[in-house]
Amino acid sequence: MHLEESGPVDPAPDLNWQDSSTLRWTEHPEDVDAAFDRGEPLVGVAVIALALNHADAGAILPRVNRALESENAETRRQGVIALAHTARLHRTADRRSLDLLRGFPRGNEADDDLWTFVPHRQLPWWLRLHHYLDHLTCLFRNRRQG
């Protein structure tokens, strides 16, 4: 029996912008850009997938920023999650992402992953202050209970 060569097999399905289950395969920044331009309601899901699937944080962060700036609250929330994944997987964030994140409530996923995975000297003062105060509050509570 002879097997014919058929070339590389791509396990990722075509992106279906009506069904978020296929968007987890998003790995091309230009697909996300086009989705933003078309006003796709599930573009935030694609930004998260891009953060998980793409090897270059420099290509991911502009799309994360676009999600963080979105008029849609759900897309903004997904942008925070995508920033958290980028911090965890690539150990970085850009200044624009951090500036945009400052407008979000503290204690979100990105705050925690930035603090955990990005060198603290690269983080802005307001994020360091948040975590230092949170740490002091925990220490104070533990002393009062002990």
Side-chain angles (χ1 to χ4, degrees), residues 82-115:
L83 180 57
H85 287 310
T86 304
R88 183 171 34 85
L89 296 172
H90 300 283
R91 302 186 183 282
T92 192
D94 64 7
R95 183 59 45 203
R96 181 74 182 139
S97 297
L98 295 171
D99 289 346
L100 291 167
L101 185 65
R102 187 173 184 191
F104 287 78
R106 298 285 55 88
N108 60 61
E109 299 90 340
D111 282 358
D112 295 340
D113 281 0
L114 286 161
W115 186 252

Side-chain angles (χ1 to χ4, degrees), residues 21 54 71 78 88 146:
S21 67
H54 201 281
E71 293 180 13
Q78 292 163 332
R88 183 171 34 85

